[in-house]
Every structure is written in structure tokens, then in C-alpha cells.
Amino acid sequence: MKSSFEDEIRFYDPGENWSGVECSACGADAEEWWGEAMETASADGFKDLNTVAPCCGATVSLNDLRYIWPAAFGRFALEAHNPGIGDTTWE
């Protein structure tokens, strides 16, 4: 296991497991507009994650979008490598 603390908020993505993202308001595929919305939010240090979804016009948070494989914004991460192992409890 590995933990990390960041000074700034960052987006923790699933890397090679990226499988897409959907609008949290209407369920439409958000890939087409997600990248630009992320660039805009990143320029402000991810302080404001709200954006207007072009698919339905709803104001949505980038954090609340439906990431097909888990993803999130934060300053702390706890990573588990080799998740296929049986017991991950700490003693």
C-alpha cells in the first residue's frame, strides 16, 4: 500500500482502466465535453468543479459525473497494488 498527500487538489484517474464518463444529470456520454471542462477547472486549481453540461444544459459537478471506472478529486490517495491478492488487512 502507498499513501500520498498533495498540496493542491488533483484528479485521481484510473489510468489504463479509463472507460469513459457520463453526465450525472441525463446519463449521456460526456467524453466530448469533459476534457475542456477539466482544463477550465484545472486552471483554477479545481476550486470550482461546476460546469454546464452541453448534453442537457444542467449545471453539474465534475466530481459527481458517472466515471465508468472509479475516479475522484482530492488531496489524499491510498493506493493498493496487486489487488488480486487475498487478504489486504493490516496487522
PDB file of all heavy atoms in Angstrom, residues 5 15-16 19 25 27 32 36 39 43-44 48 50-52 54 60-61 65 69 72 85 89:
ATOM      1  N   PHE A   5      -0.024  12.556  -0.077  1.00  0.00           N
ATOM      2  CA  PHE A   5      -0.707  13.803   0.233  1.00  0.00           C
ATOM      3  C   PHE A   5      -0.246  14.846  -0.766  1.00  0.00           C
ATOM      4  O   PHE A   5       0.945  14.959  -1.038  1.00  0.00           O
ATOM      5  CB  PHE A   5      -0.371  14.289   1.651  1.00  0.00           C
ATOM      6  CG  PHE A   5      -0.897  13.401   2.734  1.00  0.00           C
ATOM      7  CD1 PHE A   5      -0.146  12.342   3.217  1.00  0.00           C
ATOM      8  CD2 PHE A   5      -2.153  13.631   3.271  1.00  0.00           C
ATOM      9  CE1 PHE A   5      -0.631  11.520   4.217  1.00  0.00           C
ATOM     10  CE2 PHE A   5      -2.648  12.811   4.271  1.00  0.00           C
ATOM     11  CZ  PHE A   5      -1.883  11.753   4.747  1.00  0.00           C
ATOM     12  N   GLY A  15      -6.237   5.658 -14.853  1.00  0.00           N
ATOM     13  CA  GLY A  15      -5.145   5.339 -15.766  1.00  0.00           C
ATOM     14  C   GLY A  15      -5.596   4.474 -16.930  1.00  0.00           C
ATOM     15  O   GLY A  15      -6.531   4.820 -17.644  1.00  0.00           O
ATOM     16  N   GLU A  16      -4.930   3.342 -17.113  1.00  0.00           N
ATOM     17  CA  GLU A  16      -5.233   2.450 -18.233  1.00  0.00           C
ATOM     18  C   GLU A  16      -6.634   1.867 -18.154  1.00  0.00           C
ATOM     19  O   GLU A  16      -7.152   1.344 -19.133  1.00  0.00           O
ATOM     20  CB  GLU A  16      -4.210   1.323 -18.297  1.00  0.00           C
ATOM     21  CG  GLU A  16      -2.832   1.795 -18.697  1.00  0.00           C
ATOM     22  CD  GLU A  16      -1.824   0.652 -18.779  1.00  0.00           C
ATOM     23  OE1 GLU A  16      -2.237  -0.522 -18.823  1.00  0.00           O
ATOM     24  OE2 GLU A  16      -0.636   0.953 -18.792  1.00  0.00           O
ATOM     25  N   SER A  19     -12.562   4.138 -18.714  1.00  0.00           N
ATOM     26  CA  SER A  19     -13.627   3.549 -19.528  1.00  0.00           C
ATOM     27  C   SER A  19     -14.691   4.554 -19.917  1.00  0.00           C
ATOM     28  O   SER A  19     -15.736   4.179 -20.440  1.00  0.00           O
ATOM     29  CB  SER A  19     -14.287   2.392 -18.756  1.00  0.00           C
ATOM     30  OG  SER A  19     -13.347   1.392 -18.480  1.00  0.00           O
ATOM     31  N   ALA A  25     -26.558  14.247 -14.774  1.00  0.00           N
ATOM     32  CA  ALA A  25     -27.941  14.738 -14.854  1.00  0.00           C
ATOM     33  C   ALA A  25     -28.795  13.927 -15.829  1.00  0.00           C
ATOM     34  O   ALA A  25     -29.935  13.588 -15.518  1.00  0.00           O
ATOM     35  CB  ALA A  25     -27.953  16.212 -15.255  1.00  0.00           C
ATOM     36  N   GLY A  27     -27.305  11.228 -18.052  1.00  0.00           N
ATOM     37  CA  GLY A  27     -26.735   9.928 -18.392  1.00  0.00           C
ATOM     38  C   GLY A  27     -26.057   9.856 -19.752  1.00  0.00           C
ATOM     39  O   GLY A  27     -25.542   8.811 -20.133  1.00  0.00           O
ATOM     40  N   GLU A  32     -17.136  13.972 -24.895  1.00  0.00           N
ATOM     41  CA  GLU A  32     -16.953  15.045 -25.866  1.00  0.00           C
ATOM     42  C   GLU A  32     -16.648  16.395 -25.207  1.00  0.00           C
ATOM     43  O   GLU A  32     -15.852  17.167 -25.721  1.00  0.00           O
ATOM     44  CB  GLU A  32     -18.213  15.150 -26.737  1.00  0.00           C
ATOM     45  CG  GLU A  32     -18.084  16.137 -27.868  1.00  0.00           C
ATOM     46  CD  GLU A  32     -19.307  16.135 -28.758  1.00  0.00           C
ATOM     47  OE1 GLU A  32     -19.751  15.039 -29.161  1.00  0.00           O
ATOM     48  OE2 GLU A  32     -19.826  17.232 -29.031  1.00  0.00           O
ATOM     49  N   GLU A  36     -12.502  19.594 -21.984  1.00  0.00           N
ATOM     50  CA  GLU A  36     -12.475  21.060 -21.921  1.00  0.00           C
ATOM     51  C   GLU A  36     -12.919  21.550 -20.544  1.00  0.00           C
ATOM     52  O   GLU A  36     -12.341  22.478 -19.992  1.00  0.00           O
ATOM     53  CB  GLU A  36     -13.361  21.653 -23.015  1.00  0.00           C
ATOM     54  CG  GLU A  36     -13.283  23.168 -23.074  1.00  0.00           C
ATOM     55  CD  GLU A  36     -14.097  23.742 -24.219  1.00  0.00           C
ATOM     56  OE1 GLU A  36     -14.247  23.066 -25.263  1.00  0.00           O
ATOM     57  OE2 GLU A  36     -14.586  24.870 -24.046  1.00  0.00           O
ATOM     58  N   GLU A  39     -10.021  21.098 -18.198  1.00  0.00           N
ATOM     59  CA  GLU A  39      -8.987  22.121 -18.399  1.00  0.00           C
ATOM     60  C   GLU A  39      -9.379  23.429 -17.728  1.00  0.00           C
ATOM     61  O   GLU A  39      -8.557  24.074 -17.086  1.00  0.00           O
ATOM     62  CB  GLU A  39      -8.741  22.343 -19.891  1.00  0.00           C
ATOM     63  CG  GLU A  39      -7.967  21.223 -20.542  1.00  0.00           C
ATOM     64  CD  GLU A  39      -7.730  21.482 -22.025  1.00  0.00           C
ATOM     65  OE1 GLU A  39      -7.710  22.659 -22.446  1.00  0.00           O
ATOM     66  OE2 GLU A  39      -7.572  20.492 -22.758  1.00  0.00           O
ATOM     67  N   ALA A  43      -7.351  25.028 -14.442  1.00  0.00           N
ATOM     68  CA  ALA A  43      -6.727  26.352 -14.475  1.00  0.00           C
ATOM     69  C   ALA A  43      -6.965  27.120 -13.184  1.00  0.00           C
ATOM     70  O   ALA A  43      -6.181  27.992 -12.819  1.00  0.00           O
ATOM     71  CB  ALA A  43      -7.251  27.146 -15.675  1.00  0.00           C
ATOM     72  N   ASP A  44      -8.033  26.777 -12.472  1.00  0.00           N
ATOM     73  CA  ASP A  44      -8.369  27.431 -11.203  1.00  0.00           C
ATOM     74  C   ASP A  44      -8.024  26.533 -10.010  1.00  0.00           C
ATOM     75  O   ASP A  44      -8.529  26.728  -8.914  1.00  0.00           O
ATOM     76  CB  ASP A  44      -9.863  27.785 -11.201  1.00  0.00           C
ATOM     77  CG  ASP A  44     -10.239  28.683 -10.038  1.00  0.00           C
ATOM     78  OD1 ASP A  44      -9.394  29.460  -9.575  1.00  0.00           O
ATOM     79  OD2 ASP A  44     -11.392  28.588  -9.562  1.00  0.00           O
ATOM     80  N   ASP A  48     -13.463  25.219  -8.313  1.00  0.00           N
ATOM     81  CA  ASP A  48     -14.873  25.207  -8.726  1.00  0.00           C
ATOM     82  C   ASP A  48     -15.046  24.088  -9.739  1.00  0.00           C
ATOM     83  O   ASP A  48     -14.539  24.164 -10.849  1.00  0.00           O
ATOM     84  CB  ASP A  48     -15.267  26.547  -9.338  1.00  0.00           C
ATOM     85  CG  ASP A  48     -16.737  26.610  -9.731  1.00  0.00           C
ATOM     86  OD1 ASP A  48     -17.496  25.660  -9.419  1.00  0.00           O
ATOM     87  OD2 ASP A  48     -17.125  27.606 -10.360  1.00  0.00           O
ATOM     88  N   ASN A  50     -18.018  22.999 -10.837  1.00  0.00           N
ATOM     89  CA  ASN A  50     -19.304  23.102 -11.532  1.00  0.00           C
ATOM     90  C   ASN A  50     -19.107  23.532 -12.976  1.00  0.00           C
ATOM     91  O   ASN A  50     -18.275  24.375 -13.289  1.00  0.00           O
ATOM     92  CB  ASN A  50     -20.228  24.086 -10.819  1.00  0.00           C
ATOM     93  CG  ASN A  50     -20.708  23.543  -9.506  1.00  0.00           C
ATOM     94  OD1 ASN A  50     -20.981  22.350  -9.379  1.00  0.00           O
ATOM     95  ND2 ASN A  50     -20.812  24.403  -8.500  1.00  0.00           N
ATOM     96  N   THR A  51     -19.912  22.932 -13.839  1.00  0.00           N
ATOM     97  CA  THR A  51     -19.894  23.258 -15.259  1.00  0.00           C
ATOM     98  C   THR A  51     -21.293  23.016 -15.813  1.00  0.00           C
ATOM     99  O   THR A  51     -22.087  22.297 -15.218  1.00  0.00           O
ATOM    100  CB  THR A  51     -18.849  22.411 -16.019  1.00  0.00           C
ATOM    101  OG1 THR A  51     -18.712  22.898 -17.348  1.00  0.00           O
ATOM    102  CG2 THR A  51     -19.207  20.938 -16.035  1.00  0.00           C
ATOM    103  N   VAL A  52     -21.576  23.627 -16.939  1.00  0.00           N
ATOM    104  CA  VAL A  52     -22.857  23.389 -17.609  1.00  0.00           C
ATOM    105  C   VAL A  52     -22.642  22.278 -18.627  1.00  0.00           C
ATOM    106  O   VAL A  52     -21.787  22.383 -19.505  1.00  0.00           O
ATOM    107  CB  VAL A  52     -23.384  24.671 -18.295  1.00  0.00           C
ATOM    108  CG1 VAL A  52     -24.644  24.373 -19.084  1.00  0.00           C
ATOM    109  CG2 VAL A  52     -23.641  25.748 -17.256  1.00  0.00           C
ATOM    110  N   PRO A  54     -23.219  20.425 -21.807  1.00  0.00           N
ATOM    111  CA  PRO A  54     -23.819  20.739 -23.106  1.00  0.00           C
ATOM    112  C   PRO A  54     -24.893  19.741 -23.547  1.00  0.00           C
ATOM    113  O   PRO A  54     -25.788  20.095 -24.306  1.00  0.00           O
ATOM    114  CB  PRO A  54     -22.639  20.698 -24.078  1.00  0.00           C
ATOM    115  CG  PRO A  54     -21.432  20.826 -23.236  1.00  0.00           C
ATOM    116  CD  PRO A  54     -21.774  20.243 -21.902  1.00  0.00           C
ATOM    117  N   VAL A  60     -23.674  20.743 -13.492  1.00  0.00           N
ATOM    118  CA  VAL A  60     -23.220  19.520 -12.834  1.00  0.00           C
ATOM    119  C   VAL A  60     -21.825  19.746 -12.259  1.00  0.00           C
ATOM    120  O   VAL A  60     -21.086  20.599 -12.723  1.00  0.00           O
ATOM    121  CB  VAL A  60     -23.192  18.317 -13.806  1.00  0.00           C
ATOM    122  CG1 VAL A  60     -24.594  17.978 -14.300  1.00  0.00           C
ATOM    123  CG2 VAL A  60     -22.265  18.572 -14.985  1.00  0.00           C
ATOM    124  N   SER A  61     -21.489  18.965 -11.258  1.00  0.00           N
ATOM    125  CA  SER A  61     -20.140  18.984 -10.699  1.00  0.00           C
ATOM    126  C   SER A  61     -19.318  17.915 -11.406  1.00  0.00           C
ATOM    127  O   SER A  61     -19.792  16.790 -11.595  1.00  0.00           O
ATOM    128  CB  SER A  61     -20.188  18.690  -9.192  1.00  0.00           C
ATOM    129  OG  SER A  61     -18.887  18.443  -8.708  1.00  0.00           O
ATOM    130  N   LEU A  65     -19.979  13.474 -11.810  1.00  0.00           N
ATOM    131  CA  LEU A  65     -20.205  12.753 -13.061  1.00  0.00           C
ATOM    132  C   LEU A  65     -20.035  11.264 -12.813  1.00  0.00           C
ATOM    133  O   LEU A  65     -19.397  10.852 -11.846  1.00  0.00           O
ATOM    134  CB  LEU A  65     -19.214  13.226 -14.138  1.00  0.00           C
ATOM    135  CG  LEU A  65     -19.356  14.680 -14.569  1.00  0.00           C
ATOM    136  CD1 LEU A  65     -18.276  15.027 -15.594  1.00  0.00           C
ATOM    137  CD2 LEU A  65     -20.737  14.973 -15.128  1.00  0.00           C
ATOM    138  N   TRP A  69     -15.147   3.744 -14.588  1.00  0.00           N
ATOM    139  CA  TRP A  69     -14.200   3.140 -13.658  1.00  0.00           C
ATOM    140  C   TRP A  69     -13.933   4.227 -12.624  1.00  0.00           C
ATOM    141  O   TRP A  69     -13.762   5.388 -12.982  1.00  0.00           O
ATOM    142  CB  TRP A  69     -12.912   2.754 -14.394  1.00  0.00           C
ATOM    143  CG  TRP A  69     -12.037   1.838 -13.609  1.00  0.00           C
ATOM    144  CD1 TRP A  69     -11.105   2.228 -12.692  1.00  0.00           C
ATOM    145  CD2 TRP A  69     -11.991   0.419 -13.645  1.00  0.00           C
ATOM    146  NE1 TRP A  69     -10.480   1.137 -12.160  1.00  0.00           N
ATOM    147  CE2 TRP A  69     -11.008  -0.002 -12.730  1.00  0.00           C
ATOM    148  CE3 TRP A  69     -12.684  -0.545 -14.354  1.00  0.00           C
ATOM    149  CZ2 TRP A  69     -10.687  -1.326 -12.513  1.00  0.00           C
ATOM    150  CZ3 TRP A  69     -12.364  -1.867 -14.135  1.00  0.00           C
ATOM    151  CH2 TRP A  69     -11.384  -2.248 -13.229  1.00  0.00           C
ATOM    152  N   ALA A  72     -11.809  10.334  -8.909  1.00  0.00           N
ATOM    153  CA  ALA A  72     -12.252  11.337  -7.934  1.00  0.00           C
ATOM    154  C   ALA A  72     -11.259  12.490  -7.837  1.00  0.00           C
ATOM    155  O   ALA A  72     -10.124  12.396  -8.300  1.00  0.00           O
ATOM    156  CB  ALA A  72     -12.410  10.694  -6.556  1.00  0.00           C
ATOM    157  N   ILE A  85      -4.566 -10.004  -4.666  1.00  0.00           N
ATOM    158  CA  ILE A  85      -4.129 -10.783  -3.509  1.00  0.00           C
ATOM    159  C   ILE A  85      -5.306 -11.019  -2.577  1.00  0.00           C
ATOM    160  O   ILE A  85      -6.261 -10.257  -2.566  1.00  0.00           O
ATOM    161  CB  ILE A  85      -2.969 -10.098  -2.759  1.00  0.00           C
ATOM    162  CG1 ILE A  85      -3.381  -8.728  -2.243  1.00  0.00           C
ATOM    163  CG2 ILE A  85      -1.745 -10.001  -3.647  1.00  0.00           C
ATOM    164  CD1 ILE A  85      -2.340  -8.066  -1.363  1.00  0.00           C
ATOM    165  N   THR A  89      -5.809  -6.934   4.874  1.00  0.00           N
ATOM    166  CA  THR A  89      -5.913  -6.348   6.220  1.00  0.00           C
ATOM    167  C   THR A  89      -4.543  -6.039   6.785  1.00  0.00           C
ATOM    168  O   THR A  89      -3.556  -6.694   6.451  1.00  0.00           O
ATOM    169  CB  THR A  89      -6.663  -7.289   7.187  1.00  0.00           C
ATOM    170  OG1 THR A  89      -5.961  -8.513   7.250  1.00  0.00           O
ATOM    171  CG2 THR A  89      -8.090  -7.530   6.711  1.00  0.00           C
TER     172      THR A  89
END
